[in-house]
Amino acid sequence: MPHDAALHVTGRTTTLSTDRQVPTPTPMPGSPESAATPSAPGGDELASEQQEVLVRYDRLDALLRRTEDSLDKVRRGPTAGTPGALSERDAFDSMYVERLIVLRAAQERLVFGRMDLADNQPRYIGRIGLSDDDQEQILYDWRSPAAEPFYRATAAHPLGVTRRRHLTLADREVTHLEDDVLDFAAHPEAGDVQGGGALMAALGAHRTGRMRDIVATIQGEQDRIIRSPLAGTLVVQGAPGCGKTVVALHRAAYLLYTHRERIAKAGVLVVGPNRQFLRYIEQVLPSLGESSAVLATQGQLYPGVDAIPDRSRASAALKGDVRMARMVRNAVAALERVPSRRTTVRVDGVALVLTPRMVESAVERARRSGKPHNLARREFVLDVLDKLATQLAQKTSVDPKEYKESLIEDLRDSVDVRREINLCWMPWTAEALVARLFSDEARLSAAAPWLTAEDRAALLRPAGSAWETGDVPILDEAAELLGADDESSRASAAAAERERVHELDYARDVAQASGSGMVSADTLMERYAGAGSRSSVADAHSDRSWIFGHVVVDEAQELSPMAWRVVVRRCPSRSMTVVGDINQTGSPAGVTDWATLFDAIAPGRWAKEELTVNYRTPRPVMDLATAHLRASGIAAPDVTSARDGDEPHRVEVSGVGDIGGLVRSELVAIGSGRVAVISAATEHVAVSDALTSALPGLVGVGDSAVDSQVAVMTPVMAKGLEFDVVLVVNPGSIAATPGSGTRDLYVAYTRTTSRLVLVEIAAT
């Protein structure tokens, strides 16, 4: 979907602007625009609305000053120094900081709509809600129930709205008005349509490399999905350009507004297909005043890992198979070893015997605890030590009950005992376990006996290799079954406590030296230690155990069954907004049927919605893309494009070096905006090198692509993104990509908002 657009489908429109008129789009046959007749509002409307907008900005400025002053007082003011006082101060600090984020984000396009109701009362719609000093509502938050008719009202079902007005602002100046008149009896002065209005202006705007919110142009179909109930999983299916991403992000903002107590503290996790996509969308939620979100790719869902793409489709398919969970279980179970014979251990010169039966019973008891491997290890160790302590007491003729603690300490100090216990039940990290599995064929074969020799060859790699996207769910599975290293955790906690005591001693010395009595040692310690110790959504990225209040998954069709296990662990309530398009599935382990997936992971707790209007891709381009899918035997749905446009243009060049000239011509033609050059992965490096040389300073490759005027990408990199002009290099090469070529070309075709150029490099 375009970054700030949605389809306008109801009512009659009049426009008034202080600058150039918005070009009239070609109406779709049968649309309300094609049946309307012309008129214009009075010339004083802009001045009147300007005053109304300034009143609301004045109120916003006053609230900003008031909040900044309150925060300053909280931070400068003394506290009682007690834990309760410190917590209270921190709570107020957080409250004011969050309020400032919301107020500052609202400054851009604060007011964008107005509804005239049947009772002649105007209702202004904006990014946040505002009340005056008398507590009269002067601006309604777009997410509030009171604002819902602004998005839902139609001529057939006006919902009490007689006129809907869109306001376009440049900074704080009203530059353009557009009216949708739903009741001409209430507004006899109104006349006919002059243009497609706010939506079509947004559709025609040049892309900037960042998605923007669409609060001003949300349509009824989208609004209904955005305001869907929180419970369960909502799957939004739609063709390219139908607005899936913006619907998902605005739904996250709506849920944070409506269910703030339930969601905000836990936060929202947004999972996207790649880093370029996350950079593209990163400003949307903050622009809506929401900061309680964590953005991650599939390859970043395991703390401390930022995975590279899988090296082959074969390995990606194998690692995405849900049987990998069984492989990990088998590998963890194999870590718990029972020796085949008796072992002698010495404790201060006393010989003790560790028998297989002693170890076996300790293993069985630890497993019955149901704890993960590293946590259950504590049960195992205590059981073995208890048995050995009984032997030691007998051989040293001491009372085992009276001297048990000292006996245990003697056993812990024994090198023999520590060695044998570790050989039987060693603490492990997920990283070490998975790395060993994929670098040791014998262990891989034992853990996953169903793998063929060819399968194992696809998975095996040298020790120390970089983590790949498909490894992340396997790492997470291993971490779940291993648990934290209990001894390591306890050692870390002890170290943290020693550090806290040291900081407190330091703070007391400072407090005594100051002699003022104004600041307690506890307060100084808190300031000295900083706020980093307080748990917040910002910590969630590095905390594998964090449970999110809601999860948004974009390009969800790319997630494997193993990846979905990770997502569900992050949100056991299954409160998710899942958006994607089965026809764009490129991953060999991706989703091919929503029902099969969600009937398994969220039975009885999911629903599906479908978006049917393409806001991004002009009709001729979408027709080409759809025909391509159907020619390959894929049942592509019928999608209505909001706009007409140019037919795709075919060009033949003699070599890859000529592509730079084509791109330069397109940049001149569009004036501003962005161009993408998409090629098959096999040709990506050659195309990148040629364009970087031909257009120095203009070309971006990889993570920097979304920040550059010319982005050089593969279809996989381009997923979820949009550009003014797209050049697809050697479409046949993309279509020939093993396993995903048909869908990859479909993705490449549908990235454009304006013009598609098909570039064929002549065979040599």
Side-chain angles (χ1 to χ4, degrees):
M1 162 124 197
H3 51 266
D4 55 355
L7 182 63
H8 172 73
V9 293
T10 59
R12 300 183 182 181
T13 305
T14 57
T15 60
L16 177 66
S17 176
T18 57
D19 52 10
R20 65 180 181 83
Q21 198 70 29
V22 177
T24 303
T26 303
M28 290 182 290
S31 68
E33 289 91 341
S34 66
T37 51
S39 88
D44 60 349
E45 292 287 345
L46 270 172
S48 175
E49 294 294 9
Q50 180 68 62
Q51 290 304 310
E52 294 290 347
V53 166
L54 290 177
V55 166
R56 286 149 183 84
Y57 267 112
D58 287 345
R59 182 60 177 172
L60 178 68
D61 291 341
L63 291 175
L64 271 167
R65 289 192 297 270
R66 188 179 304 172
T67 307
E68 287 167 348
D69 289 345
S70 297
L71 178 61
D72 186 61
K73 288 177 182 177
V74 165
R75 290 181 170 175
R76 290 177 176 272
T79 70
T82 63
L86 292 171
S87 296
E88 182 180 34
R89 185 197 67 185
D90 290 344
F92 276 110
D93 187 295
S94 297
M95 179 183 72
Y96 291 132
V97 167
E98 290 177 9
R99 183 61 175 159
L100 280 175
I101 290 172
V102 172
L103 294 173
R104 287 168 179 164
Q107 292 182 92
E108 183 182 357
R109 296 178 295 155
L110 172 65
V111 187
F112 54 79
R114 164 181 160 171
M115 289 186 293
D116 291 344
L117 305 178
D119 58 6
N120 293 320
Q121 291 299 312
R123 183 178 294 175
Y124 285 88
I125 312 300
R127 307 178 76 77
I128 61 172
L130 293 175
S131 300
D132 61 19
D133 287 329
D134 296 325
Q135 298 306 305
E136 291 291 329
Q137 196 80 20
I138 60 173
L139 186 65
Y140 290 85
D141 192 299
W142 68 275
R143 296 167 288 190
S144 67
E148 190 171 341
F150 181 78
Y151 301 108
R152 299 283 189 94
T154 67
H157 302 284
L159 304 178
V161 179
T162 62
R163 179 173 63 181
R164 171 174 45 219
R165 170 168 286 178
H166 294 270
L167 292 79
T168 301
L169 273 60
D171 294 325
R172 300 189 175 196
E173 181 185 357
V174 180
T175 61
H176 183 83
L177 301 179
E178 174 194 296
D179 287 346
D180 300 341
V181 179
L182 306 181
D183 183 351
F184 274 76
H187 299 279
E189 76 285 359
D192 300 333
V193 176
Q194 292 186 356
L199 168 66
M200 292 303 177
L203 286 171
H206 288 306
R207 280 10 188 198
T208 64
R210 290 292 189 274
M211 179 179 281
R212 296 174 64 191
D213 64 76
I214 60 162
V215 290
T217 52
I218 293 171
Q219 299 302 290
E221 177 186 58
Q222 298 169 321
D223 189 70
R224 177 176 51 80
I225 295 172
I226 289 169
R227 297 176 192 266
S228 297
L230 171 65
T233 297
L234 179 65
V235 178
V236 183
Q237 161 74 31
C242 283
K244 301 181 294 295
T245 298
V246 289
V247 164
L249 294 174
H250 284 69
R251 174 165 160 75
Y254 169 77
L255 293 175
L256 282 164
Y257 171 86
T258 308
H259 305 281
R260 188 161 297 279
E261 292 300 317
R262 293 176 58 184
I263 296 179
K265 188 172 182 180
V268 171
L269 171 64
V270 180
V271 181
N274 51 51
R275 288 188 288 268
Q276 296 96 322
F277 178 83
L278 295 185
R279 288 173 69 85
Y280 178 58
I281 69 168
E282 65 186 356
Q283 296 175 355
V284 175
L285 285 172
S287 76
L288 297 171
E290 299 297 349
S291 57
S292 299
V294 172
L295 276 60
T297 66
Q298 294 181 52
Q300 296 170 333
L301 289 178
Y302 185 83
V305 169
D306 191 357
I308 64 174
D310 288 285
R311 66 188 182 280
S312 71
R313 288 182 62 82
S315 67
L318 288 166
K319 286 186 278 191
D321 191 317
V322 75
R323 288 180 296 177
M324 289 292 105
R326 185 166 17 125
M327 178 193 72
V328 175
R329 284 198 302 274
N330 292 342
V332 171
L335 300 175
E336 298 151 10
R337 170 182 165 273
V338 177
S340 59
R341 61 178 184 273
R342 298 156 63 95
T343 305
T344 299
V345 295
R346 294 189 176 276
V347 180
D348 292 336
V350 179
L352 307 176
V353 177
L354 183 64
T355 69
R357 180 58 195 150
M358 290 167 59
V359 174
E360 186 178 26
S361 65
V363 168
E364 290 173 352
R365 179 175 178 179
R367 286 177 174 172
R368 285 197 299 271
S369 72
K371 296 177 180 178
H373 172 87
N374 289 329
L375 297 180
R377 180 179 185 272
R378 178 172 172 78
E379 310 292 328
F380 168 78
V381 171
L382 291 176
D383 194 289
V384 171
L385 291 178
D386 186 70
K387 290 178 171 66
L388 289 174
T390 301
Q391 281 189 45
L392 185 59
Q394 291 172 347
K395 293 201 172 187
T396 55
S397 302
V398 300
D399 184 342
K401 293 183 179 179
E402 183 177 353
Y403 293 98
K404 185 172 184 178
E405 287 188 12
S406 62
L407 291 169
I408 294 292
E409 287 303 314
D410 289 342
L411 290 166
R412 288 185 182 277
D413 289 340
S414 167
V415 174
D416 284 1
V417 172
R418 292 202 305 270
R419 182 188 66 246
E420 293 305 321
I421 285 178
N422 284 337
L423 285 173
C424 294
W425 197 307
M426 187 78 174
W428 276 78
T429 65
E431 292 87 341
L433 178 65
V434 176
R436 186 174 78 162
L437 267 178
F438 288 152
S439 61
D440 187 322
E441 185 169 9
R443 287 190 169 92
L444 179 60
S445 181
W450 61 87
L451 294 175
T452 66
E454 186 180 4
D455 292 339
R456 292 193 297 273
L459 292 172
L460 287 168
R461 65 197 186 204
S465 297
W467 295 115
E468 300 173 1
T469 300
D471 298 330
V472 167
I474 298 173
L475 284 167
D476 200 71
E477 197 79 27
E480 189 74 9
L481 295 177
L482 289 170
D485 181 351
D486 189 44
E487 290 188 5
S488 174
S489 298
R490 286 186 283 115
S492 298
E497 177 60 19
R498 289 193 298 272
E499 180 68 14
R500 191 196 70 81
V501 171
H502 172 74
E503 289 173 356
L504 183 57
D505 289 341
Y506 172 81
R508 287 190 180 118
D509 291 343
V510 173
Q512 290 172 359
S514 69
S516 68
M518 295 294 291
V519 182
S520 72
D522 285 338
T523 300
L524 278 174
M525 188 187 75
E526 174 72 12
R527 292 176 182 174
Y528 172 70
S533 60
R534 294 197 297 271
S535 180
S536 70
V537 175
D539 303 319
H541 216 310
S542 58
D543 184 355
R544 205 194 135 266
S545 64
W546 191 278
I547 301 299
F548 289 92
H550 192 76
V551 172
V552 172
V553 184
D554 206 312
E555 301 293 342
Q557 74 278 354
E558 302 303 323
L559 270 65
S560 69
M562 284 295 293
W564 282 108
R565 291 173 67 88
V566 181
V567 173
V568 169
R569 284 193 198 103
R570 301 299 186 268
C571 188
S573 68
R574 275 70 164 177
S575 177
M576 297 188 286
T577 301
V578 173
V579 298
D581 178 15
I582 296 296
N583 288 326
Q584 295 184 65
T585 302
S587 167
V591 181
T592 56
D593 179 69
W594 296 121
T596 300
L597 171 67
F598 288 105
D599 282 347
I601 68 174
R605 302 191 57 204
W606 73 281
K608 188 178 106 172
E609 295 279 0
E610 189 144 5
L611 293 169
T612 59
V613 178
N614 186 318
Y615 303 101
R616 174 202 301 148
T617 314
R619 183 182 293 108
V621 176
M622 197 63 206
D623 287 346
L624 172 67
T626 302
H628 163 71
L629 277 188
R630 291 174 178 167
S632 302
I634 298 174
D638 290 320
V639 177
T640 301
S641 289
R643 297 175 300 156
D644 282 321
D646 295 336
E647 292 288 339
H649 181 52
R650 295 183 182 274
V651 177
E652 183 174 308
V653 296
S654 59
V656 69
D658 295 332
I659 300 174
L662 293 177
V663 173
R664 189 178 289 107
S665 296
E666 294 296 338
L667 289 173
V668 170
I670 62 176
S672 62
R674 302 177 69 249
V675 173
V677 181
I678 303 177
S679 64
T682 54
E683 300 174 350
H684 177 62
V685 173
V687 172
S688 300
D689 290 346
L691 285 173
T692 301
S693 175
L695 302 168
L698 295 179
V699 175
V701 181
D703 293 349
S704 66
V706 297
D707 298 316
S708 303
Q709 195 169 3
V710 179
V712 185
M713 317 186 98
T714 66
V716 172
M717 295 174 184
K719 279 197 172 177
L721 307 181
E722 61 185 17
F723 305 88
D724 296 279
V725 177
V726 170
L727 282 73
V728 178
V729 179
N730 286 341
S733 296
I734 296 176
T737 302
S740 62
T742 296
R743 290 180 165 85
D744 285 351
L745 188 54
Y746 180 65
V747 170
Y749 282 163
T750 54
R751 298 307 95 196
T752 181
T753 66
S754 177
R755 180 172 162 83
L756 175 65
V757 181
L758 308 179
V759 182
E760 298 283 359
I761 300 178
T764 57

